[in-house]
Amino acid sequence: MAVHDHPHRHPGFRFPSLRKSGTASPSTETSAAAATATSAYVLAGLRILTGFVFLWAFLDKTFGFGYATPSGKGWIDDGSPTKGFLSGVAAGPMESTFHDWAGAGWADWLFMLGLLGIGLALIAGVALRLAAFAGTAMMALMWIAEWPPARHLSDGSVSMSTNPFADYHLVYAVVLIALAAAGAGATWGLGRAWARLPFVSRNRWLL
């Protein structure tokens, strides 16, 4: 009887397919949705906290709560919100200019309206692009006023600058821009309702 050798079948090792399936698995979709929701809540919390920083600065400088502004020296007590800070500028290319602006009525009004408007916009979650523009301009001016690159002040004393470029003014500016770019007013805010208003729909820069 002839014996025929049949090829043996080995299970072998099969590599997983590198091609992506047409649809994501339910677990992947759930994880992505959870990550998106978490990001929205984190940005909303950051937005509200940043808004409170600006709003509190306005309230303290207006009423003199005894924090940065001593009691009895608030704006309502004829105190100047800009005089103390701008008159104390002692470095940078705009030192003399800031001294001229210190205590000027127009400077006080612009500064205080900026703090109030930015604070309310961030807390409410509306007009974030406008708030980012105004806040970035304000932070840039304050950065120039403190002038972190200076190692010494105009009187020769050490400036005590901790970084030649980055400081909290730049951080706030970046946060404002990021919040506006991410549309962070929709969560815990009035962003969606604001975007549906006719005059906002016609002027997208108001978003």
Side-chain angles (χ1 to χ4, degrees):
M1 181 177 69
V3 177
H4 299 281
D5 292 332
H6 296 282
H8 296 285
R9 294 182 180 180
H10 299 284
F13 181 81
R14 300 182 63 185
F15 289 95
S17 174
L18 298 179
R19 293 181 300 176
K20 294 182 179 180
S21 59
T23 57
S25 64
S27 60
T28 301
E29 293 179 350
T30 301
S31 299
T36 301
T38 301
S39 298
Y41 292 134
V42 170
L43 288 174
L46 178 62
R47 189 198 79 234
I48 293 171
L49 286 175
T50 306
F52 182 71
V53 170
F54 282 89
L55 184 60
W56 177 258
F58 168 81
L59 295 174
D60 184 54
K61 293 179 184 300
T62 299
F63 301 105
F65 288 147
Y67 287 84
T69 306
S71 179
K73 293 188 177 181
W75 199 21
I76 61 171
D77 301 311
D78 294 328
S80 172
T82 63
K83 187 174 183 179
F85 177 69
L86 293 181
S87 62
V89 173
M94 294 182 62
E95 179 180 350
S96 60
T97 301
F98 285 134
H99 290 172
D100 293 337
W101 292 358
W106 65 267
D108 288 344
W109 275 97
L110 281 179
F111 181 59
M112 295 299 282
L113 289 177
L115 291 177
L116 177 62
I118 295 167
L120 291 178
L122 289 174
I123 291 175
V126 301
L128 295 186
R129 293 182 182 179
L130 186 59
F133 176 80
T136 299
M138 180 184 293
M139 292 299 103
L141 287 172
M142 296 180 73
W143 184 87
I144 295 173
E146 294 195 1
W147 200 242
R151 294 183 179 181
H152 297 86
L153 303 179
S154 54
D155 62 0
S157 61
V158 179
S159 68
M160 301 300 291
S161 176
T162 59
N163 191 292
F165 176 72
D167 72 347
Y168 67 97
H169 296 109
L170 294 184
V171 173
Y172 280 134
V174 171
V175 167
L176 290 171
I177 294 171
L179 291 174
T187 302
W188 296 342
L190 304 175
R192 289 193 179 93
W194 175 261
R196 289 195 295 267
L197 295 177
F199 70 92
V200 176
S201 299
R202 293 191 297 268
N203 301 280
R204 306 300 291 176
W205 58 272
L206 290 173
L207 287 174

